DNA sequence: TCCATTATTCGACGAATCAGGAAATATAGA
DNA sequence: TCTATATTTCCTGATTCGTCGAATAATGGA
């Protein structure tokens, strides 16, 4: 059961349904918990600061990213929890009525996440 | 590594980033491989046939659903493979550089898909 | 062929989204 | 306080999207 409501999910999907914003989100996912300052994100993705600010605001409104101020900079980072909730929302329906089809999703997502096992903390962790 | 390009992913996310279309897709995911005829989908979701036809066309263009004709009806069904590819695309970045953060996603998605294990074929199975 | 059923395409219009210049705000340092 | 840096907000034209009435296919049966 996901915590996300359908409207929340639509907002998150809308935020990601845009080439530039998807690039931002993926950059932040790769950047990890420490995140990146807005200006650095704009520079790396070669986007005007005001346009990037709008993109960041849309992603933040959807809860997929967070921000914190650090001096003159505003640091953005991916919200992995919210991202997980979105993924849960997307996959939860496969279990309603047709659990047998879930296995394909489970296998594919599981292998895509095999690095989690490589990192040595899938479930048990150290 | 996902097979999906970023533009493909954006198209699929855009297709899902709409309340009515998300409802259609989730209905079809629950309906399984056999799918449902267009008219039945429109009836269940209380939507005019032409509007539903447009929604179905958008979902199909994004490859998230397929269609086949059966007499006068056109049967739509979820494309679980394409759905898996989209999920893979979304999660693959967490492995680039920050494998440790993947574990949370793996755990959440894994438990959301616990029904796959119940259904008895999650890779190893028990 | 004629008709009923099922589904798609066309056309049009309001609503929403997009991008970025210009101006405003926030912070730090001198 | 004054200035430079970092970011956001405001604004607006251009584009795209969403909806659905009406018209147009496609199919099967009589």
């Amino acid at each position: 059961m996901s915590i996300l409501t359908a409207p929340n999910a639509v907002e998150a999907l809308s935020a990601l349904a845009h080439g530039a914003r998807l690039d931002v989100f993926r950059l932040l996912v790769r950047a990890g918990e420490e995140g990146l300052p807005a200006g650095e994100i704009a520079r790396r993705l070669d986007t005007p600061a005001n346009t990037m600010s709008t993109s960041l605001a849309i992603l933040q409104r959807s809860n997929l990213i967070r921000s914190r101020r650090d001096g003159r900079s505003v640091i953005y980072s991916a919200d992995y929890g919210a991202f997980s909730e979105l993924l849960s929302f997307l996959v939860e329906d496969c279990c309603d009525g047709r659990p047998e089809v879930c296995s394909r999703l489970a296998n594919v997502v599981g292998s895509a996440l095999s690095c989690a096992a490589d990192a040595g903390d899938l479930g048990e962790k150290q």
Side-chain angles (χ1 to χ4, degrees), chain A:
Chain A
M1 227 84 39
S2 84
I3 309 139
L4 227 50
T5 64
N8 291 156
V10 168
E11 187 165 24
L13 290 166
S14 297
L16 296 176
H18 181 277
R21 291 193 301 257
L22 185 57
D23 288 344
V24 171
F25 183 67
R26 304 220 294 162
L27 176 61
L28 290 177
V29 165
R30 289 195 299 274
E33 305 277 5
E34 59 269 44
L36 291 170
E40 174 68 14
I41 299 169
R43 210 169 308 118
R44 288 204 200 180
L45 299 180
D46 192 32
T47 304
N50 58 349
T51 300
M52 180 53 70
S53 186
T54 302
S55 291
L56 290 167
I58 289 170
L59 283 164
Q60 185 164 35
R61 216 171 353 138
S62 79
N63 292 317
L64 287 168
I65 66 176
R66 304 160 173 280
S67 70
R68 63 182 193 277
R69 184 171 273 280
D70 177 23
R72 272 176 290 207
S73 297
V74 176
I75 312 292
Y76 285 90
S77 56
D79 185 327
Y80 297 98
F83 188 30
S84 294
E85 286 176 28
L86 176 60
L87 294 175
S88 295
F89 178 90
L90 290 174
V91 300
E92 74 182 356
D93 284 296
C94 76
C95 295
D96 285 2
R98 312 282 163 172
E100 72 279 7
V101 302
C102 286
S103 60
R104 216 190 305 179
L105 297 183
N107 288 333
V108 171
V109 175
S111 63
L113 289 172
S114 59
C115 68
D118 298 346
D121 69 329
L122 206 175
E124 299 301 301
K125 91 179 52 65
Q126 70 284 1

